[in-house]
Coordinates of all heavy atoms in Angstrom, one line a residue:
M1 N 27.1 -22.1 8.8 CA 25.8 -22.1 9.5 C 25.3 -20.6 9.5 O 26.1 -19.7 9.8 CB 26.0 -22.6 10.9 CG 24.8 -22.6 11.7 SD 25.0 -23.7 13.2 CE 23.3 -23.9 13.6
I2 N 24.0 -20.4 9.3 CA 23.4 -19.1 9.3 C 23.0 -18.7 10.7 O 22.3 -19.5 11.4 CB 22.2 -19.1 8.4 CG1 22.6 -19.5 7.0 CG2 21.5 -17.7 8.4 CD1 21.5 -19.6 6.0
P3 N 23.4 -17.5 11.2 CA 23.1 -17.1 12.5 C 21.6 -16.9 12.7 O 20.9 -16.6 11.7 CB 23.8 -15.7 12.7 CG 24.8 -15.7 11.6 CD 24.3 -16.6 10.5
D4 N 21.1 -17.1 13.9 CA 19.6 -17.0 14.2 C 19.1 -15.6 13.8 O 18.0 -15.5 13.3 CB 19.3 -17.3 15.6 CG 19.4 -18.8 15.9 OD1 19.4 -19.6 15.0 OD2 19.6 -19.2 17.1
A5 N 19.9 -14.6 14.1 CA 19.5 -13.2 13.8 C 19.2 -13.1 12.3 O 18.3 -12.4 11.9 CB 20.5 -12.2 14.3
A6 N 20.1 -13.7 11.5 CA 19.9 -13.6 10.0 C 18.6 -14.3 9.6 O 17.9 -13.8 8.7 CB 21.1 -14.1 9.3
K7 N 18.4 -15.5 10.2 CA 17.2 -16.2 9.8 C 15.9 -15.4 10.2 O 15.0 -15.4 9.4 CB 17.2 -17.6 10.6 CG 18.2 -18.6 10.1 CD 18.1 -19.8 10.9 CE 19.2 -20.8 10.5 NZ 19.2 -22.0 11.4
K8 N 15.9 -14.8 11.4 CA 14.8 -14.0 11.8 C 14.6 -12.8 10.9 O 13.5 -12.5 10.6 CB 15.0 -13.5 13.2 CG 14.8 -14.6 14.3 CD 15.0 -14.1 15.7 CE 15.0 -15.2 16.7 NZ 15.2 -14.8 18.1
S9 N 15.7 -12.2 10.5 CA 15.6 -11.1 9.6 C 15.0 -11.5 8.2 O 14.1 -10.8 7.7 CB 17.0 -10.5 9.4 OG 16.9 -9.4 8.5
V10 N 15.4 -12.6 7.7 CA 14.9 -13.1 6.4 C 13.4 -13.4 6.6 O 12.5 -13.1 5.7 CB 15.7 -14.3 5.9 CG1 14.9 -15.0 4.8 CG2 17.1 -13.8 5.5
A11 N 13.0 -14.1 7.7 CA 11.6 -14.4 7.9 C 10.8 -13.2 8.0 O 9.6 -13.2 7.5 CB 11.5 -15.3 9.2
N12 N 11.3 -12.2 8.7 CA 10.5 -10.9 8.9 C 10.3 -10.2 7.5 O 9.2 -9.8 7.2 CB 11.3 -10.0 9.8 CG 10.4 -8.8 10.3 OD1 9.2 -8.9 10.3 ND2 11.1 -7.7 10.6
A13 N 11.4 -10.2 6.7 CA 11.3 -9.6 5.4 C 10.3 -10.4 4.5 O 9.5 -9.7 3.8 CB 12.6 -9.6 4.7
Q14 N 10.3 -11.7 4.6 CA 9.3 -12.5 3.8 C 7.9 -12.2 4.2 O 7.0 -12.1 3.4 CB 9.6 -13.9 3.9 CG 10.9 -14.3 3.2 CD 11.3 -15.8 3.5 OE1 11.0 -16.3 4.5 NE2 12.0 -16.4 2.6
K15 N 7.7 -12.0 5.5 CA 6.3 -11.8 6.1 C 5.9 -10.4 5.6 O 4.7 -10.2 5.1 CB 6.4 -11.8 7.6 CG 5.0 -11.5 8.2 CD 5.1 -11.6 9.7 CE 3.8 -11.2 10.4 NZ 3.9 -11.2 11.9
K16 N 6.8 -9.4 5.6 CA 6.4 -8.1 5.1 C 6.1 -8.1 3.6 O 5.2 -7.4 3.2 CB 7.5 -7.1 5.4 CG 7.6 -6.7 6.9 CD 8.7 -5.7 7.1 CE 8.8 -5.4 8.6 NZ 9.9 -4.4 8.9
F17 N 6.8 -8.8 2.9 CA 6.6 -8.9 1.4 C 5.2 -9.5 1.1 O 4.5 -9.1 0.3 CB 7.7 -9.7 0.7 CG 7.6 -9.7 -0.7 CD1 8.0 -8.5 -1.4 CD2 7.2 -10.8 -1.4 CE1 7.9 -8.5 -2.8 CE2 7.1 -10.7 -2.8 CZ 7.5 -9.6 -3.5
R18 N 4.9 -10.6 1.9 CA 3.6 -11.2 1.7 C 2.5 -10.2 2.1 O 1.4 -10.1 1.4 CB 3.4 -12.5 2.5 CG 4.1 -13.7 1.9 CD 3.8 -15.0 2.7 NE 4.3 -15.0 4.0 CZ 5.5 -15.3 4.4 NH1 6.4 -15.7 3.5 NH2 5.8 -15.3 5.7
S19 N 2.7 -9.4 3.1 CA 1.7 -8.4 3.5 C 1.5 -7.4 2.4 O 0.4 -6.9 2.1 CB 2.1 -7.7 4.8 OG 2.0 -8.6 5.9
F20 N 2.7 -7.0 1.8 CA 2.6 -5.9 0.8 C 1.8 -6.4 -0.4 O 1.0 -5.6 -0.9 CB 4.0 -5.6 0.3 CG 4.0 -4.5 -0.8 CD1 3.8 -3.2 -0.4 CD2 4.2 -4.8 -2.1 CE1 3.7 -2.2 -1.4 CE2 4.1 -3.9 -3.1 CZ 3.9 -2.6 -2.7
S21 N 1.9 -7.6 -0.8 CA 1.1 -8.1 -1.9 C -0.4 -8.1 -1.6 O -1.2 -7.7 -2.4 CB 1.5 -9.5 -2.3 OG 1.3 -10.5 -1.3
K22 N -0.8 -8.4 -0.3 CA -2.2 -8.2 0.1 C -2.7 -6.8 0.0 O -3.7 -6.5 -0.4 CB -2.4 -8.7 1.5 CG -2.4 -10.2 1.7 CD -2.7 -10.5 3.2 CE -2.1 -11.8 3.7 NZ -2.3 -12.0 5.1
I23 N -1.8 -5.9 0.5 CA -2.1 -4.5 0.6 C -2.3 -3.9 -0.9 O -3.2 -3.2 -1.2 CB -1.1 -3.7 1.4 CG1 -1.2 -4.1 2.8 CG2 -1.2 -2.2 1.1 CD1 0.0 -3.7 3.7
F24 N -1.3 -4.3 -1.7 CA -1.3 -3.8 -3.1 C -2.6 -4.3 -3.8 O -3.2 -3.6 -4.6 CB -0.1 -4.3 -3.8 CG 0.1 -3.6 -5.1 CD1 0.6 -2.3 -5.2 CD2 -0.2 -4.2 -6.3 CE1 0.8 -1.6 -6.4 CE2 -0.1 -3.6 -7.5 CZ 0.4 -2.3 -7.6
A25 N -3.0 -5.5 -3.5 CA -4.2 -6.1 -4.2 C -5.5 -5.3 -3.8 O -6.4 -5.2 -4.6 CB -4.3 -7.6 -3.8
Q26 N -5.5 -4.7 -2.6 CA -6.6 -4.0 -2.1 C -6.7 -2.6 -2.9 O -7.8 -2.0 -2.8 CB -6.6 -3.7 -0.6 CG -6.7 -5.0 0.2 CD -6.6 -4.7 1.7 OE1 -7.1 -3.8 2.2 NE2 -5.9 -5.6 2.3
C27 N -5.7 -2.2 -3.5 CA -5.6 -0.9 -4.1 C -5.5 -1.0 -5.6 O -4.9 -0.1 -6.3 CB -4.5 0.0 -3.5 SG -4.6 0.2 -1.7
E28 N -6.0 -2.0 -6.2 CA -5.8 -2.3 -7.6 C -6.3 -1.1 -8.5 O -5.7 -0.7 -9.4 CB -6.5 -3.6 -8.0 CG -6.3 -4.0 -9.5 CD -7.0 -5.3 -9.8 OE1 -7.4 -6.0 -8.9 OE2 -7.1 -5.6 -11.0
S29 N -7.5 -0.7 -8.2 CA -8.1 0.4 -9.1 C -7.4 1.7 -9.0 O -7.1 2.4 -10.0 CB -9.6 0.6 -8.8 OG -9.8 1.0 -7.5
E30 N -6.9 2.0 -7.7 CA -6.2 3.3 -7.5 C -4.8 3.2 -8.2 O -4.3 4.2 -8.8 CB -6.0 3.6 -6.0 CG -7.3 4.0 -5.3 CD -8.1 2.8 -4.9 OE1 -7.8 1.6 -5.2 OE2 -9.1 3.0 -4.2
A31 N -4.1 2.0 -8.1 CA -2.8 1.8 -8.8 C -3.0 1.9 -10.3 O -2.1 2.5 -11.0 CB -2.2 0.5 -8.3
T32 N -4.1 1.3 -10.8 CA -4.3 1.4 -12.2 C -4.5 2.8 -12.7 O -4.0 3.2 -13.7 CB -5.5 0.5 -12.6 OG1 -5.2 -0.8 -12.2 CG2 -5.8 0.6 -14.1
A33 N -5.3 3.6 -12.0 CA -5.6 4.9 -12.3 C -4.3 5.8 -12.3 O -4.1 6.6 -13.3 CB -6.7 5.6 -11.4
Y34 N -3.5 5.6 -11.3 CA -2.3 6.3 -11.3 C -1.3 5.9 -12.4 O -0.8 6.8 -13.1 CB -1.6 6.1 -9.9 CG -0.3 6.8 -9.8 CD1 -0.2 8.2 -9.8 CD2 0.9 6.1 -9.6 CE1 1.0 8.9 -9.6 CE2 2.1 6.8 -9.5 CZ 2.2 8.2 -9.5 OH 3.3 8.8 -9.4
G35 N -1.2 4.7 -12.7 CA -0.4 4.2 -13.8 C -0.9 4.7 -15.1 O 0.0 5.1 -16.0
V36 N -2.2 4.7 -15.3 CA -2.7 5.2 -16.6 C -2.4 6.7 -16.7 O -2.0 7.2 -17.8 CB -4.2 4.9 -16.7 CG1 -4.9 5.7 -17.8 CG2 -4.5 3.5 -16.9
C37 N -2.5 7.4 -15.7 CA -2.2 8.9 -15.7 C -0.8 9.1 -16.0 O -0.5 9.9 -16.9 CB -2.6 9.5 -14.3 SG -2.3 11.3 -14.3
V38 N 0.1 8.4 -15.4 CA 1.6 8.6 -15.6 C 1.9 8.2 -17.0 O 2.6 8.9 -17.7 CB 2.4 7.8 -14.6 CG1 3.9 7.8 -14.9 CG2 2.2 8.4 -13.2
A39 N 1.4 7.1 -17.5 CA 1.7 6.6 -18.8 C 1.2 7.5 -19.9 O 1.7 7.5 -21.0 CB 1.1 5.2 -19.0
S40 N 0.1 8.2 -19.6 CA -0.5 9.1 -20.6 C 0.3 10.4 -20.8 O 0.0 11.1 -21.8 CB -1.9 9.4 -20.3 OG -2.0 10.3 -19.2
K41 N 1.2 10.7 -20.0 CA 2.0 11.9 -20.1 C 3.3 11.7 -20.8 O 4.1 10.7 -20.6 CB 2.4 12.4 -18.7 CG 1.2 12.6 -17.7 CD 0.2 13.6 -18.2 CE -0.9 13.7 -17.2 NZ -2.1 14.2 -17.7
E42 N 3.6 12.5 -21.8 CA 4.8 12.4 -22.6 C 6.0 12.9 -21.8 O 7.0 12.3 -21.7 CB 4.7 13.2 -23.9 CG 5.7 12.8 -24.9 CD 5.4 13.4 -26.2 OE1 4.3 13.1 -26.8 OE2 6.3 14.1 -26.8
Q43 N 5.8 14.0 -21.1 CA 6.8 14.6 -20.2 C 6.2 14.8 -18.9 O 5.6 15.9 -18.6 CB 7.4 15.9 -20.8 CG 8.2 15.8 -22.0 CD 9.6 15.2 -21.7 OE1 10.2 15.6 -20.8 NE2 10.0 14.3 -22.5
I44 N 6.3 13.9 -18.0 CA 5.6 14.0 -16.7 C 6.4 15.0 -15.8 O 7.6 15.0 -15.8 CB 5.5 12.6 -16.0 CG1 4.7 12.7 -14.7 CG2 6.9 12.0 -15.6 CD1 3.2 12.5 -15.0
T45 N 5.6 15.8 -15.1 CA 6.2 16.8 -14.2 C 5.5 16.5 -12.8 O 4.4 15.9 -12.8 CB 6.0 18.2 -14.6 OG1 4.6 18.5 -14.8 CG2 6.7 18.5 -15.9
Q46 N 6.1 17.1 -11.8 CA 5.5 16.9 -10.5 C 4.1 17.4 -10.4 O 3.7 18.4 -10.9 CB 6.4 17.7 -9.5 CG 6.0 17.4 -8.0 CD 7.0 18.0 -7.1 OE1 7.9 18.8 -7.4 NE2 6.9 17.7 -5.8
N47 N 3.3 16.6 -9.7 CA 1.9 16.9 -9.4 C 0.9 16.8 -10.6 O -0.2 17.1 -10.5 CB 1.7 18.2 -8.7 CG 2.4 18.3 -7.4 OD1 2.4 17.3 -6.7 ND2 2.9 19.4 -7.0
Q48 N 1.4 16.3 -11.8 CA 0.5 16.2 -12.9 C -0.6 15.1 -12.6 O -1.7 15.2 -13.1 CB 1.2 15.8 -14.2 CG 1.7 17.1 -14.9 CD 2.3 16.7 -16.3 OE1 3.1 15.8 -16.4 NE2 1.8 17.5 -17.3
C49 N -0.2 14.1 -11.9 CA -1.1 13.0 -11.5 C -1.3 13.0 -10.0 O -1.4 12.0 -9.3 CB -0.5 11.7 -12.0 SG -0.4 11.6 -13.8
G50 N -1.3 14.2 -9.4 CA -1.4 14.3 -8.0 C -2.6 13.8 -7.4 O -2.6 13.1 -6.3
K51 N -3.8 14.0 -8.0 CA -5.1 13.5 -7.5 C -5.0 11.9 -7.5 O -5.4 11.3 -6.5 CB -6.2 13.9 -8.4 CG -7.6 13.5 -8.0 CD -8.6 14.1 -8.9 CE -8.6 13.2 -10.2 NZ -9.8 13.5 -11.1
E52 N -4.5 11.3 -8.5 CA -4.4 9.9 -8.6 C -3.4 9.3 -7.6 O -3.7 8.3 -6.9 CB -4.0 9.4 -10.0 CG -5.1 9.7 -11.0 CD -5.0 11.1 -11.6 OE1 -4.3 11.9 -11.1 OE2 -5.8 11.3 -12.6
F53 N -2.3 10.0 -7.4 CA -1.3 9.6 -6.4 C -1.9 9.7 -5.0 O -1.7 8.8 -4.2 CB 0.0 10.5 -6.5 CG 1.0 10.2 -5.5 CD1 1.8 9.0 -5.6 CD2 1.1 10.9 -4.3 CE1 2.7 8.7 -4.6 CE2 2.0 10.6 -3.4 CZ 2.8 9.5 -3.5
E54 N -2.6 10.8 -4.7 CA -3.2 10.9 -3.3 C -4.2 9.8 -3.1 O -4.3 9.3 -2.0 CB -3.8 12.3 -3.2 CG -2.8 13.4 -3.0 CD -1.8 13.2 -1.8 OE1 -2.3 12.8 -0.7 OE2 -0.6 13.5 -1.9
A55 N -5.0 9.5 -4.1 CA -5.9 8.4 -3.9 C -5.2 7.1 -3.6 O -5.6 6.3 -2.8 CB -6.8 8.3 -5.2
L56 N -4.1 6.8 -4.4 CA -3.4 5.6 -4.1 C -2.7 5.6 -2.8 O -2.8 4.6 -2.1 CB -2.3 5.4 -5.2 CG -1.4 4.2 -5.2 CD1 -2.2 2.9 -5.2 CD2 -0.4 4.2 -6.3
K57 N -2.2 6.7 -2.4 CA -1.6 6.8 -1.0 C -2.6 6.6 0.1 O -2.3 5.8 1.0 CB -0.9 8.2 -0.9 CG -0.1 8.4 0.4 CD 0.6 9.7 0.4 CE -0.2 10.7 1.1 NZ 0.6 12.0 1.3
R58 N -3.8 7.2 0.0 CA -4.8 7.0 1.0 C -5.2 5.5 1.0 O -5.4 5.0 2.1 CB -6.0 7.9 0.7 CG -5.9 9.3 1.1 CD -7.2 10.0 1.1 NE -7.9 9.9 -0.2 CZ -7.7 10.7 -1.2 NH1 -6.8 11.6 -1.2 NH2 -8.4 10.5 -2.3
C59 N -5.3 4.9 -0.1 CA -5.7 3.5 -0.2 C -4.6 2.6 0.5 O -5.0 1.7 1.3 CB -5.9 3.0 -1.6 SG -6.4 1.3 -1.8
F60 N -3.4 2.9 0.2 CA -2.3 2.1 0.8 C -2.3 2.3 2.4 O -2.2 1.4 3.1 CB -0.9 2.6 0.3 CG -0.5 1.9 -1.0 CD1 0.3 2.6 -1.9 CD2 -0.9 0.6 -1.3 CE1 0.7 1.9 -3.0 CE2 -0.5 0.0 -2.4 CZ 0.3 0.6 -3.3
L61 N -2.5 3.6 2.8 CA -2.5 3.8 4.3 C -3.7 3.1 4.9 O -3.5 2.5 6.0 CB -2.6 5.3 4.5 CG -1.4 6.1 4.2 CD1 -1.6 7.6 4.4 CD2 -0.2 5.7 5.2
A62 N -4.8 3.1 4.3 CA -6.0 2.4 4.8 C -5.8 0.9 4.9 O -6.1 0.3 5.9 CB -7.3 2.8 4.0
A63 N -5.2 0.4 3.8 CA -4.9 -1.0 3.8 C -3.9 -1.5 4.8 O -4.0 -2.5 5.4 CB -4.4 -1.4 2.4
V64 N -2.9 -0.6 5.0 CA -1.9 -0.9 6.1 C -2.5 -0.9 7.4 O -2.2 -1.8 8.3 CB -0.7 0.1 6.0 CG1 0.2 0.0 7.2 CG2 0.1 -0.1 4.7
I65 N -3.4 0.1 7.7 CA -4.0 0.1 9.0 C -4.9 -1.1 9.2 O -4.9 -1.7 10.2 CB -4.9 1.4 9.1 CG1 -4.0 2.6 9.2 CG2 -5.9 1.3 10.3 CD1 -4.7 3.9 9.1
K66 N -5.6 -1.5 8.1 CA -6.5 -2.7 8.2 C -5.6 -3.9 8.5 O -6.0 -4.8 9.4 CB -7.3 -2.9 6.9 CG -8.4 -2.0 6.8 CD -9.0 -2.0 5.4 CE -10.0 -3.0 5.2 NZ -10.6 -2.9 3.8
E67 N -4.5 -4.0 7.9 CA -3.6 -5.2 8.0 C -3.0 -5.2 9.4 O -2.9 -6.2 10.1 CB -2.6 -5.2 6.9 CG -1.6 -6.4 7.0 CD -2.3 -7.7 6.7 OE1 -3.3 -7.8 6.0 OE2 -1.7 -8.8 7.1
A68 N -2.5 -4.0 9.8 CA -1.7 -3.9 11.1 C -2.6 -4.1 12.3 O -2.2 -4.8 13.3 CB -1.0 -2.6 11.2
F69 N -3.8 -3.6 12.2 CA -4.7 -3.7 13.4 C -5.8 -4.7 13.2 O -6.8 -4.8 14.0 CB -5.3 -2.3 13.7 CG -4.3 -1.3 14.1 CD1 -3.8 -0.3 13.2 CD2 -3.7 -1.3 15.3 CE1 -2.9 0.6 13.6 CE2 -2.8 -0.4 15.7 CZ -2.3 0.5 14.8
K70 N -5.8 -5.4 12.1 CA -6.8 -6.5 11.8 C -8.2 -5.9 11.8 O -9.1 -6.5 12.4 CB -6.6 -7.7 12.7 CG -5.2 -8.3 12.7 CD -4.9 -8.8 11.3 CE -3.5 -9.4 11.3 NZ -2.9 -9.5 10.1
V71 N -8.4 -4.7 11.2 CA -9.7 -4.1 11.2 C -10.5 -4.8 10.2 O -10.1 -5.0 9.0 CB -9.5 -2.6 10.8 CG1 -10.9 -1.9 10.7 CG2 -8.7 -1.9 11.9
S72 N -11.7 -5.1 10.5 CA -12.6 -5.8 9.6 C -13.2 -4.8 8.6 O -13.2 -3.6 8.8 CB -13.8 -6.5 10.3 OG -14.7 -5.5 10.8
N73 N -13.6 -5.3 7.5 CA -14.2 -4.4 6.5 C -15.5 -3.7 7.0 O -15.9 -2.6 6.5 CB -14.6 -5.2 5.2 CG -13.3 -5.5 4.4 OD1 -12.3 -4.8 4.5 ND2 -13.4 -6.6 3.6
K74 N -16.1 -4.3 8.0 CA -17.3 -3.7 8.6 C -17.0 -2.5 9.5 O -17.8 -1.7 9.7 CB -18.1 -4.8 9.4 CG -18.6 -5.9 8.5 CD -19.3 -7.0 9.4 CE -19.6 -8.2 8.6 NZ -20.1 -9.3 9.4
D75 N -15.8 -2.5 10.1 CA -15.5 -1.5 11.1 C -14.4 -0.6 10.5 O -13.2 -0.8 10.7 CB -15.0 -2.1 12.4 CG -14.8 -1.0 13.5 OD1 -15.3 0.1 13.3 OD2 -14.2 -1.4 14.5
T76 N -14.8 0.4 9.7 CA -13.8 1.2 9.0 C -13.8 2.6 9.5 O -13.2 3.5 8.9 CB -14.1 1.2 7.5 OG1 -15.5 1.7 7.3 CG2 -14.0 -0.1 6.8
R77 N -14.4 2.9 10.7 CA -14.4 4.2 11.2 C -12.9 4.8 11.4 O -12.7 5.9 11.1 CB -15.1 4.3 12.5 CG -16.6 4.1 12.4 CD -17.3 4.0 13.7 NE -16.8 2.7 14.2 CZ -17.2 2.1 15.3 NH1 -18.1 2.7 16.0 NH2 -16.7 0.9 15.7
L78 N -12.0 3.9 11.8 CA -10.6 4.3 12.0 C -10.0 4.7 10.7 O -9.3 5.7 10.6 CB -9.8 3.2 12.6 CG -8.3 3.4 12.8 CD1 -8.0 4.5 13.8 CD2 -7.6 2.1 13.2
I79 N -10.3 4.0 9.7 CA -9.7 4.3 8.4 C -10.3 5.6 7.8 O -9.6 6.2 7.0 CB -10.0 3.1 7.4 CG1 -9.2 1.9 8.1 CG2 -9.5 3.3 6.0 CD1 -9.6 0.6 7.5
E80 N -11.5 5.9 8.1 CA -12.1 7.2 7.5 C -11.3 8.4 7.9 O -11.3 9.4 7.2 CB -13.5 7.3 8.0 CG -14.4 6.3 7.3 CD -15.8 6.3 7.9 OE1 -16.2 7.3 8.6 OE2 -16.6 5.4 7.5
I81 N -10.5 8.3 9.0 CA -9.7 9.4 9.5 C -8.6 9.7 8.5 O -8.2 10.8 8.2 CB -9.1 9.2 10.9 CG1 -10.2 9.1 11.9 CG2 -8.1 10.2 11.2 CD1 -9.8 8.6 13.2
V82 N -8.0 8.6 7.9 CA -6.9 8.7 7.0 C -7.4 9.4 5.7 O -6.9 10.2 5.1 CB -6.4 7.3 6.6 CG1 -5.3 7.4 5.5 CG2 -5.9 6.6 7.9

């Protein structure tokens, strides 16, 4: 028999995974730009794709805030801070 704590842990992980796919989908263009930049480098070094990485990071943070606080697309003042 599986302990209740383990069941809750698995359920929580599944919920987070579903949220991640929603968040990732919101940042498709930023993820693509970063991937293209990295793939275009023969020998990638730190910060070569820094601009693209920062754009992807900002998008992820904004998407997490929207998901966590259920911010509508109309009310993005909080996200502009990020």
Side-chain angles (χ1 to χ4, degrees):
M1 181 166 197
I2 299 173
D4 286 342
K7 289 179 186 178
K8 287 180 184 178
S9 179
V10 168
N12 191 29
Q14 290 172 333
K15 182 179 175 184
K16 286 180 183 179
F17 188 74
R18 283 190 296 274
S19 293
F20 180 77
S21 63
K22 284 186 209 175
I23 290 165
F24 193 78
Q26 293 178 40
C27 300
E28 183 179 347
S29 62
E30 292 83 356
T32 299
Y34 180 65
V36 167
C37 181
V38 170
S40 72
K41 309 296 182 200
E42 197 167 304
Q43 290 286 317
I44 189 84
T45 59
Q46 187 173 7
N47 294 326
Q48 277 190 309
C49 297
K51 181 178 78 170
E52 293 84 354
F53 177 78
E54 286 300 319
L56 180 58
K57 186 172 96 174
R58 279 192 309 276
C59 182
F60 276 148
L61 288 172
V64 167
I65 289 169
K66 285 167 89 174
E67 182 68 23
F69 295 104
K70 304 298 181 202
V71 176
S72 72
N73 287 334
K74 295 176 187 174
D75 189 13
T76 57
R77 289 171 292 186
L78 174 65
I79 296 167
E80 290 173 10
I81 295 169
V82 176

